[in-house]
Amino acid sequence: MPSISLTLNGRSVSGEVETKTLLVDYIRENQKLTGTHVGCDTSQCGSCVVHVDGKSVKSCTMLAVQVDGSEVTTIEGLATGEELHPMQEAFRQNHGLQCGFCTPGMVMSAVDLVAGNPDISETEIREGLEGNICRCTGYHNIVKSVQAGAKAMGG
Amino acid sequence: MPDTGTITSGGIGDAVQRKEDFRFLTGRGTYTDDINRMGQTYAVFVRSPHAHAKIRSVDTSAASQASGVVSILTGADMVADEVGSLICGWNVVDRHGEGHKAPPHPPLAHDTVKHVGDQVAVVIAETLSEAQAAAELVEVDYEVLAANVDTGSALSGPEIHPEAPSNLCYDWILGEEADVDKALANSAHVTELDIINNRLVPNPMEPRAAIGEYDMATGEYTCFSTSQNPHVLRLILCAFVLGIPETKLKVIAPDVGGGFGSKIFCYAEETTCVWASKKIGRPVKWTSTRSEAFLTDAHGRDHVSHVKLGLDANGKFTALKVETIANMGAYLSTFASSVPTYLYATLLAGQYTTPVIFCNTKAVFTNTVAVDAYRGAGRPEATFVVERIVETAARELGVDPAELRRKNFIQPDQFPYDTPVALTYDTGNYEASLDKAMGMIDYAGFPARRAKSEANGKKRGLGISAYIEACGIAPSAVVGSLGAGVGLWESAQVRFNATGSVSVFTGSHSHGQGHETAFAQLAATKLGIPFENVEVVHGDTSKVPMGMGTYGSRSLAVGGSAIDRACDKIIEKGKKVAAHLLEAAVEDIEFADGNFTVAGTDKSKAMEEIVFAAYVPHDYPEGVEPGMDETAFYDPGNFTYPAGTHIAEVEIDEATGVTEIVDWVAVDDFGNVINPMIVEGQVHGGIAQGVGQALLEGTVYDKDSGQLVTGSYMDYCMPRADDLPSFRVDMTTTACTHNPLGVKGCGEAGAIAAPAALINAITDATGAVTVEMPATPERVWRALQENN
Amino acid sequence: MKLEGTYIINASKEEVWKAMNDPAILQQAIPGCESLEKISDTQFTAVIKAKIGPVKASFTGEVNLENLNPPHSYTLTGEGKGGLAGFATGSADVSLNEHNDGTELIYLVDAQVGGKIAQIGSRLVGGAAKKLSDKFFSRFAAVINGEEENPE
C-alpha cells in the first residue's frame, strides 16, 4: 500500500492508503471527518466538495493518493474555532440550508466560486453552483447566501 | 456552547435563525452513515437485475469463501426464521366492500423477484469493499418472466401476484356516479381531458441508511435509521415483521438529510440489518448508494386519469368526474393505498363549489418499485387534475381563467364548508390570495409583456394554480373508519429542569424543517422564557413519548399543538404552586409573559421561581406532585386546509422549445406563522420540486424489459440552481379554527401548486391543449409545431 | 433495442458462411472478445469485455447458433452475465445473399440489457451497440479478406 502525507485542515497527516481509495472515503473513513458527504455515485451531486490546494474538487472524483503533498480543506476546517467563515455565516443568516446534507459541499463550492468576485451576479452564482444539487431549498436562499457571503468575504 | 447566531427575540412570528445550523454548517451534523459502532460489519444487498423473474437457485458457495465475508443470508433464511412480510398500514375498502389486495412483501425475496432492484440476498463482511466484492460472486439463477411496467395498461398485462387477479389492488370510488353523470348530461358545456401525472423519484440528498445492533446481554436491539417517524418504524418492525417486544427495540433517527415522504416507510434494508445483527452477533450497517436509491426508494405520483368537468351557461361548475389508474408498484408500501384515495379524491373540490363529484381509482400492481407518499402525496395529483381542467374549460369557453376561478370560489361566508368529497373546510379566503397574486405579477400587464416577447421571437405564457391541500390527517377516529391502521395524533413532553431550562420532546421528526427552532419559539413564547433556554429533542424512541412522526405537513399543526397543550398543563400546575407561594386562590392567578400574578395586584412570581419550587418543594402546596414535566397527546378535530394561488410566467424559445421561468409569485394562506423565514424556505423548496416535476423529472421504465433507464443523476434530471428563478413569496392569513395555534402547515404547498401553474403557462404559450410532464424542450417544441 | 445493417464482404457465400462458424475468426472479429470456445457445432462460450459509458464489465456467457440454413442464414442467440454490471441478452438474424462484389450480409439484432448497464448507461447503449456491431462486421470482413485489421 502506498503511503501519503498531506495537510488536512491545517494539520499534517500521513499514512498508508489503498490505491483504489477515493479521497472522499479517505476523509470520511480513514480520517473520520464526516462533514464531507456522499450523495450520489456518478459525481453529479457535489455533496462531497472539498478544497485541494484552495480549489474546490468533488472528492469522489479523486483518489486519495492524488492528494499526496497537497493541502486539503474540508468543511470542518473552514471555521476558526467557533467563529464561522463569512460564507457559513451568510448561509445561516439567509436560511441557505434546510436538512444540511448538501450544505458542506455547497459552502465549499461557494467559497471557491466567489473568490475574487465580491459582486458576483445571481446568474454567475446559479451557473457556478450547477454541480451542486440541493433538494430542500429550491436554491433561492442559497443564491442569496452566496451573494451575501461574497460581499462579506470582500473578494 | 457555540454561538447560535443572532437571536431577535425568538418568539412566535420572528424570523429567528435556526438552532440547528451551526452543526450543519460546520460539518458536525450526525447522519446515520456518520455513525460507526464497535465491531460493525457492512451489508451489501444482492438485487435482481430483472423486472420479473422466478428465482431458480441462489448459490452463495463462492461468495462465502471470499475474503472478509461474515455471513450471507437469503430469503430462505428469513423464511426459516419466520420473518414477516412488510406491511401496508392502510386498508382501503373497494367499491364492493372488499379490502385491498396486499400480497406478501418479503424483505428478502425467496421465490420470485418483482422489480429491478428487488433484494434477493445480503452479504455481510468486515469491510464495505469486501462485501461488495463478495456480492459479485453470489450466483442467482433466474427464470425471466414477462414484465409489466406501464400504468395505463397494467390491468391487461402479465400477472404479478396470484393474490391480485388482473394486477388490480383495488377498485375504489368516492361520490355517486349516477348523480355526476346526470349533472354532466345536463351541463351547458363539458370539458374533457386526459391527464398523466408523471412518476417521480423523491431523491432526498441523503441516501437511506441503517445500522442494526443487538445486545446479547440485555436482549435489546437498536436500529439507527434515516426515518421520518421512528416510532412508526419501531411499531411495524416489532408488531408485524420481526416479532420483537417494543421494549426491546430502540429506533434512533438522528440528523436526517431530507425525506419528502420517501423515509416514512418501513423498508427491507433496515428490517434485514436488525434481523441480521442478532444472527451474526455484531452490528450490521447498510448505506444506500444513489443507484440503489433510484431502484428501491418508494417513488411518487404515477397516475393516468380521464377527467370531465361540467359547466352551466353562466360558467358555474356543475359536476366533476375523475377516473384514475394509480400505479402501486410491485408491492404495497407502508401507506401506498391511502395516497390515490383518501389523500387524492377528497381534494377534488379544490377551492370551488362544484356540487357533485365522483372519483374512481383503480390501483394497479406493476413490475416497478413501490409507489407511495412523496411531498404532497395525492394532493398534488388532485390539484393538477382540478387546475388543469379548470384552465382548459376557461380556454374552451374563451373566458378569463382567473375570472372563471373567481366565479366558482367558495366564499369566505360559506365556511365551514362541506365539500361533496367528505371534507369540511374550516376557513379560507381564496379570492384574497388570487387578488394578491394577480397584483404581484401585474396580471393586467401580461398582454403587453407577451407582445414584447413575441417581438423578440419568444412565446410567453401565464399559468394560474389555485390549490388547496389538507394537512394533519385527522381525527384518529375518522381515519380509523377509513382504514388507517394507526391513530394520527401527536405527542409532546415539556420538561422544565430545576434551573429553568426546558427540554421539549416531540414525536415529530425534523429532517430539514427546523423543528429545533420553530418548536423552541413556540414553547418559549407560551412559557414566557428565553428562546435560548429551550432545547427540542426528537428522533429517539427511548427518549421521546410514542409519536407518529413527520409527513403531510403535520408537524406544527399536530405536533406543535401537542406542545401547546403540554405547556398549558405546565401553566396550570404552575398556577397551583404560585397560588401557594403568593397566598392567593388558584383562580386568582393569571399567567402572562412568564409571570404568575395575583389578579389586580403586583404580587408576582416568575416561571423560573415556580419551577425551582416544584423541584425543591420545601414550601409547596399540599396534594400537588413535585416536578414540572408534562406530557400531552393531541388529536386534531379536523384536517387543516392551507390554500393559495401561485402564478407562473414563462418564455419559450421557439427554435429550441426551452422553457424559461421568467417570474413566479406565490401567495399562500398557512394560517398563523411561527417563523416566516422557515416558512418561506419551505415554499421555495416545494416550488422547486413542483417545477422539477413539470419541467425536468421523468421516471422511465423500459416497457419491454422493465429496466429503470433513468436510474442516475445523468438521466434523471434534478432541478439545479440554473434551472430555477428566484421566487416572489407572500401570504394571506385566515387562522385555522380548530387548533390552538391557528396554524395550517406549509411543507407541501409549493409542490402541490407548482406543476399546474407551470403547465398552464406552457399550454398558454404554445396553444397546445396539453403538454405532458416533464415538459422537456422536445415536448414543448413538438407542441409548438403542432399548434402553429 | 433493435439494430440492423448490411455489409458487403469480398468473398463467396460459402467462404463467409464458413467464417461465420469458425470460432477463431469470430473471436478476432468480436470487439473485446477474450475467449471463445466451441462446445459443440452450435454452441460456444465467450468472455467479452465491454465498456458502455461509465460501466465496464467482463461478460461471460453462451452463444448458440439456431435456425441453421447453410450457407444462407442462421440466428445467433446469446446471454451474457456481467456480475453487478448487469446482463445482456439478444439474438441476431444473419442472412447471406450473393452480390456483385461478393456476398451481402444482412443482420437484424434484437438485444436487451439489464441491471447497472441499463440503469446508468441506457442512453448510451444504442450508440455503443451500433458501434460494436460496425466494428464486428468490418473486422469480420477484414479477417475473411485476409487484411490486417487494426485491433482498435
Side-chain angles (χ1 to χ4, degrees):
Chain A
M1 261 196 284
S3 180
I4 60 169
S5 43
L6 61 147
T7 307
L8 181 60
N9 296 332
R11 193 167 51 91
S12 292
V13 296
S14 55
E16 289 192 333
V17 61
E18 280 190 74
T19 44
K20 67 176 183 182
T21 300
L22 295 172
L23 177 57
V24 65
D25 293 329
Y26 176 78
I27 291 167
R28 284 183 61 82
E29 306 297 332
N30 298 42
Q31 295 297 331
K32 307 291 178 208
L33 292 172
T34 56
T36 302
H37 296 150
V38 180
C40 76
D41 44 11
T42 52
S43 290
Q44 310 272 311
C45 79
S47 297
C48 66
V49 170
V50 300
H51 290 179
V52 176
D53 297 324
K55 284 280 157 207
S56 63
V57 166
K58 286 180 176 170
S59 60
C60 70
T61 60
M62 270 186 103
L63 296 167
V65 291
Q66 289 177 282
V67 298
D68 186 26
S70 294
E71 207 166 294
V72 175
T73 307
T74 69
I75 189 70
E76 288 93 341
L78 201 58
T80 312
E82 287 176 3
E83 191 191 330
L84 295 177
H85 180 280
M87 187 58 79
Q88 291 170 311
E89 186 59 43
F91 269 70
R92 178 162 69 180
Q93 301 271 352
N94 291 283
H95 191 31
L97 66 153
Q98 290 183 21
C99 82
F101 194 81
C102 76
T103 308
M106 200 65 83
V107 169
M108 297 308 281
S109 290
V111 168
D112 185 26
L113 174 67
V114 305
N117 193 358
D119 298 314
I120 188 165
S121 72
E122 175 174 345
T123 309
E124 284 176 285
I125 293 169
R126 288 188 181 276
E127 283 172 3
L129 292 180
E130 201 264 350
N132 292 76
I133 303 177
C134 168
R135 192 57 151 169
C136 293
T137 64
Y139 305 99
H140 181 109
N141 285 340
I142 289 177
V143 172
K144 270 171 70 181
S145 302
V146 176
Q147 226 154 7
K151 280 221 161 54
M153 283 166 65
Chain B
M1 192 185 117
D3 163 30
T4 48
T6 317
I7 296 159
T8 51
S9 147
I12 287 178
D14 291 333
V16 59
Q17 285 165 29
R18 299 200 318 169
K19 283 174 177 275
E20 39 276 86
D21 286 357
F22 184 86
R23 69 173 188 275
F24 292 147
L25 281 163
T26 53
R28 265 84 175 179
T30 305
Y31 300 88
T32 301
D33 188 51
D34 301 340
I35 297 168
N36 292 296
R37 307 295 294 173
M38 284 288 284
Q40 167 181 298
T41 60
Y42 295 81
V44 167
F45 286 85
V46 176
R47 300 186 181 281
S48 169
H50 302 288
H52 195 192
K54 274 194 181 135
I55 301 171
R56 286 205 198 100
S57 64
V58 182
D59 180 359
T60 59
S61 53
S64 58
Q65 299 304 309
S67 158
V69 170
V70 175
S71 179
I72 300 176
L73 299 168
T74 65
D77 295 311
M78 276 202 167
V79 172
D81 279 6
E82 296 179 357
V83 172
S85 174
L86 298 173
I87 60 152
C88 176
W90 194 308
N91 182 21
V92 166
V93 175
D94 74 6
R95 66 195 300 171
H96 309 297
E98 284 176 31
H100 65 213
K101 305 288 191 297
H105 183 185
L108 292 177
H110 51 81
D111 54 3
T112 57
V113 286
K114 299 190 192 297
H115 66 90
V116 173
D118 211 350
Q119 41 294 312
V120 176
V122 62
V123 176
I124 300 167
E126 297 291 344
T127 68
L128 180 58
S129 62
E130 285 171 328
Q132 284 164 338
E136 284 256 17
L137 302 174
V138 175
E139 281 282 338
V140 186
D141 188 17
Y142 295 102
E143 178 188 338
V144 179
L145 304 172
N148 176 2
V149 298
D150 177 54
T151 309
S153 60
L155 288 167
S156 56
E159 195 164 284
I160 297 162
H161 296 282
E163 298 84 355
S166 302
N167 302 312
L168 184 67
C169 177
Y170 55 76
D171 180 354
W172 176 90
I173 56 171
L174 183 65
E176 293 295 330
E177 186 169 17
D179 294 351
V180 170
D181 284 343
K182 195 172 150 199
L184 286 171
N186 293 332
S187 295
H189 182 84
V190 175
T191 295
E192 289 194 46
L193 203 56
D194 288 309
I195 292 177
I196 294 174
N197 204 288
N198 50 325
R199 186 182 180 111
L200 302 173
V201 184
N203 273 308
M205 292 316 298
E206 180 206 23
R208 288 187 297 119
I211 306 172
E213 187 170 349
Y214 180 69
D215 183 341
M216 208 171 58
T218 60
E220 274 179 30
Y221 294 86
T222 304
C223 174
F224 296 89
S225 169
T226 50
S227 176
Q228 296 179 218
N229 32 232
H231 278 101
V232 175
L233 178 57
R234 187 182 71 170
L235 178 67
I236 295 173
L237 284 177
C238 288
F240 298 96
V241 187
L242 295 173
I244 305 169
E246 281 177 273
T247 47
K248 294 294 187 192
L249 174 62
K250 177 161 76 176
V251 175
I252 299 174
D255 286 329
V256 173
F260 314 115
S262 68
K263 291 173 180 170
I264 296 172
F265 320 120
C266 178
Y267 287 94
E269 291 85 359
E270 57 263 28
T271 306
T272 304
C273 287
V274 172
W275 167 69
S277 70
K278 184 179 181 184
K279 285 191 94 69
I280 68 162
R282 291 171 62 181
V284 179
K285 179 176 183 173
W286 169 77
T287 302
S288 176
T289 62
R290 181 59 59 187
S291 297
E292 281 180 295
F294 272 99
L295 295 176
T296 64
D297 288 4
H299 291 180
R301 318 286 191 255
D302 205 344
H303 286 193
V304 174
S305 301
H306 185 72
V307 185
K308 290 181 194 172
L309 175 70
L311 300 95
D312 69 16
N314 297 317
K316 289 282 276 184
F317 305 154
T318 56
L320 178 67
K321 183 171 186 176
V322 179
E323 291 165 299
T324 294
I325 300 174
N327 194 342
M328 295 284 102
Y331 303 104
L332 214 46
S333 171
T334 313
F335 290 109
S337 56
S338 64
V339 175
T341 50
Y342 295 108
L343 298 179
Y344 169 65
T346 52
L347 274 298
L348 288 170
Q351 302 186 351
Y352 309 111
T353 56
T354 316
V356 287
I357 298 173
F358 173 77
C359 179
N360 173 215
T361 301
K362 291 188 175 78
V364 298
F365 290 109
T366 59
N367 295 116
T368 63
V369 74
V371 181
D372 204 326
Y374 166 59
R375 201 170 195 167
R379 292 150 289 169
E381 296 91 314
T383 287
F384 193 69
V385 162
V386 173
E387 289 304 284
R388 285 290 296 127
I389 193 94
V390 167
E391 187 79 19
T392 307
R395 289 176 192 166
E396 284 178 0
L397 294 169
V399 299
D400 182 333
E403 291 316 304
L404 186 65
R405 288 180 170 87
R406 194 188 300 280
K407 185 178 279 181
N408 285 282
F409 277 157
I410 299 161
Q411 295 302 311
D413 61 4
Q414 290 179 280
F415 294 102
Y417 181 85
D418 291 329
T419 73
V421 274
L423 298 180
T424 303
Y425 297 168
D426 62 334
T427 183
N429 186 343
Y430 307 137
E431 213 163 348
S433 298
L434 177 71
D435 286 341
K436 198 169 196 175
M438 288 169 70
M440 282 168 72
I441 204 141
D442 181 20
Y443 191 76
F446 176 72
R449 295 195 295 278
R450 170 176 266 176
K452 207 170 157 191
S453 294
E454 299 221 333
N456 294 324
K458 300 242 171 129
K459 292 280 188 189
R460 198 177 186 100
L462 179 146
I464 298 174
S465 176
Y467 76 95
I468 192 159
E469 66 159 320
C471 303
I473 313 170
S476 293
V478 171
V479 296
S481 74
L482 301 178
V486 288
L488 289 168
W489 41 266
E490 194 48 272
S491 69
Q493 184 181 1
V494 175
R495 178 188 299 162
F496 260 107
N497 301 302
T499 51
S501 61
V502 173
S503 300
V504 173
F505 299 86
T506 173
S508 301
H509 187 276
S510 184
H511 29 279
Q513 297 90 339
H515 293 172
E516 290 169 38
T517 305
F519 287 176
Q521 287 178 261
L522 179 53
T525 305
K526 184 86 182 185
L527 298 170
I529 56 168
F531 169 73
E532 306 88 286
N533 290 5
V534 185
E535 292 295 328
V536 175
V537 180
H538 67 91
D540 183 338
T541 60
S542 66
K543 291 181 182 167
V544 174
M546 172 87 182
M548 299 313 297
T550 287
Y551 39 84
S553 307
R554 70 192 297 274
S555 295
L556 185 60
V558 190
S561 294
I563 294 170
D564 187 82
R565 287 285 166 83
C567 290
D568 280 339
K569 292 186 182 178
I570 294 270
I571 293 164
E572 285 314 302
K573 185 170 182 179
K575 282 183 179 172
K576 290 180 193 162
V577 179
H580 173 82
L581 294 176
L582 294 166
E583 297 173 335
V586 174
E587 307 76 59
D588 292 338
I589 302 294
E590 290 173 346
F591 178 75
D593 300 329
N595 290 301
F596 294 92
T597 307
V598 181
T601 74
D602 59 357
K603 283 170 53 177
S604 180
K605 288 272 180 196
M607 179 61 101
E608 286 83 352
E609 294 176 273
I610 299 300
V611 169
F612 189 77
Y615 282 105
V616 188
H618 297 166
D619 181 11
Y620 205 65
E622 244 177 69
V624 177
E625 288 177 15
M628 199 58 89
D629 187 345
E630 296 289 343
T631 300
F633 289 79
Y634 179 77
D635 196 356
N638 190 356
F639 292 84
T640 63
Y641 299 98
T645 295
H646 287 217
I647 304 180
E649 206 164 305
V650 301
E651 244 186 8
I652 294 170
D653 184 315
E654 288 188 64
T656 62
V658 170
T659 300
E660 188 194 348
I661 302 168
V662 290
D663 202 358
W664 195 290
V665 299
V667 178
D668 300 290
D669 177 359
F670 298 134
N672 296 332
V673 167
I674 305 293
N675 185 323
M677 175 190 84
I678 290 176
V679 168
E680 284 184 23
Q682 289 292 313
V683 174
H684 298 153
I687 296 171
Q689 287 182 9
V691 169
Q693 167 162 34
L695 274 191
L696 305 164
E697 298 175 40
T699 309
V700 181
Y701 280 93
D702 181 81
K703 276 191 188 176
D704 297 326
S705 65
Q707 297 292 326
L708 176 66
V709 297
T710 51
S712 79
Y713 290 153
M714 292 184 295
D715 296 291
Y716 187 88
C717 189
M718 291 280 280
R720 315 246 178 167
D722 58 352
D723 293 315
L724 296 167
S726 287
F727 310 110
R728 298 196 285 145
V729 175
D730 207 335
M731 280 164 211
T732 58
T733 304
T734 60
C736 172
T737 60
H738 58 78
N739 67 43
L741 301 169
V743 298
K744 298 183 181 177
C746 64
E748 297 162 298
I752 293 169
L758 206 45
I759 296 301
N760 285 342
I762 290 170
T763 48
D764 182 42
T766 56
V769 173
T770 195
V771 176
E772 297 300 349
M773 300 191 288
T776 57
E778 183 196 342
R779 285 178 175 164
V780 173
W781 183 85
R782 286 184 191 283
L784 282 169
Q785 307 314 306
E786 284 160 17
N787 291 281
N788 279 351
Chain C
M1 178 184 52
K2 289 185 165 54
L3 291 172
E4 52 191 331
T6 303
Y7 287 86
I8 308 297
I9 298 167
N10 186 11
S12 74
K13 235 169 113 167
E14 283 69 22
E15 284 172 310
V16 175
W17 177 259
K18 211 174 134 207
M20 278 165 56
N21 289 276
D22 181 343
I25 292 179
L26 288 174
Q27 185 178 345
Q28 281 181 67
I30 296 170
C33 185
E34 299 200 323
S35 78
L36 187 73
E37 285 174 29
K38 195 165 178 171
I39 307 288
S40 72
D41 278 353
T42 59
Q43 214 176 10
F44 303 86
T45 57
V47 178
I48 297 170
K49 269 206 166 142
K51 185 172 182 297
I52 296 169
V55 186
K56 205 157 121 184
S58 183
F59 290 90
T60 56
E62 270 184 20
V63 179
N64 294 297
L65 306 182
E66 294 166 8
N67 306 328
L68 289 158
N69 180 19
H72 309 293
S73 63
Y74 68 29
T75 302
L76 275 165
T77 61
E79 193 183 317
K81 284 185 188 165
L84 288 188
F87 66 87
T89 60
S91 65
D93 293 319
V94 184
S95 57
L96 305 176
N97 297 313
E98 274 163 25
H99 188 272
N100 290 343
D101 297 329
T103 305
E104 178 192 50
L105 181 152
I106 301 172
Y107 72 90
L108 187 69
V109 172
D110 188 358
Q112 277 180 351
V113 292
K116 195 122 190 144
I117 311 172
Q119 193 186 352
I120 309 264
S122 259
R123 204 163 27 109
L124 310 163
V125 165
K130 183 74 187 148
K131 208 167 114 190
L132 292 175
S133 301
D134 285 345
K135 223 179 227 174
F136 169 76
F137 287 108
S138 62
R139 282 193 196 181
F140 182 70
V143 174
I144 294 175
N145 296 335
E147 291 167 17
E148 272 299 309
E149 170 80 3
N150 184 339
E152 271 311 306

